[in-house]
Amino acid sequence: MTDAIVLRGLRVDTRVGVTDDERARPQTVVVDVDIAADLSKAAASDDVGDTIDYGAAVSAIADRVRRSETRLLERLAADVASVLSRMDGVEAVTVEIRKASPPVSEDVEGIGVRIEVSR
C-alpha cells in the first residue's frame, strides 16, 4: 500500500516528561502522521465520503495529546496511533512525536519517537 494521508507539523501543548521539572508546565510537541489507506475510491469519485476525514483525524490527535499525562513520548505516540487505527478505512499508521524544546544541553530542533501500527 502506497496511498497515505499525510499530516505534518501539528503543534500541541501537553504535559509529558519524566522529571518533575518537565511536567511542571505544558510543553509543545510536534506531531507528524502518515495514515495508510486505499485512496483509489476517493480519487475516482472525488467524493469526501470515500476517504478518511483528515479534519476529524487532526481533532482526535490534538485532543488525545492535550489530555495526555504520559511520562514518555513512546507511550503518547502509541496512544495516538491507537486512536487513529480505530478510524474506518485506516490500514496502518505511522506517528512521529517530538519535543520542540527537549531538555538537553545541545542545540537540537527536536527529539522524538516514531511508532508504526498496522491493523
Side-chain angles (χ1 to χ4, degrees), residues 14-18 23 64 67-77 79:
T14 190
R15 290 184 192 275
V16 62
V18 175
R23 300 179 68 72
R64 180 63 192 99
R67 291 185 302 110
S68 178
E69 294 264 341
T70 64
R71 296 169 55 85
L72 300 177
L73 289 175
E74 290 85 345
R75 173 62 183 266
L76 182 55
D79 288 351

Side-chain angles (χ1 to χ4, degrees), residues 16-19 21-22 27 73 99-106 108 111:
V16 62
V18 175
T19 67
D21 188 48
E22 279 186 287
Q27 57 187 297
L73 289 175
K99 291 182 179 181
S101 298
V104 296
S105 60
E106 299 299 327
V108 296
I111 295 177

Side-chain angles (χ1 to χ4, degrees), residues 91-117:
E91 297 175 2
V93 177
T94 301
V95 176
E96 182 174 306
I97 299 181
R98 61 192 176 280
K99 291 182 179 181
S101 298
V104 296
S105 60
E106 299 299 327
D107 183 19
V108 296
E109 284 185 18
I111 295 177
V113 300
R114 180 182 304 121
I115 291 190
E116 299 178 21
V117 174

Side-chain angles (χ1 to χ4, degrees), residues 52-62 83-84 87:
I52 295 166
D53 181 346
Y54 58 77
V58 169
S59 293
I61 295 164
V83 167
L84 294 174
M87 295 178 75

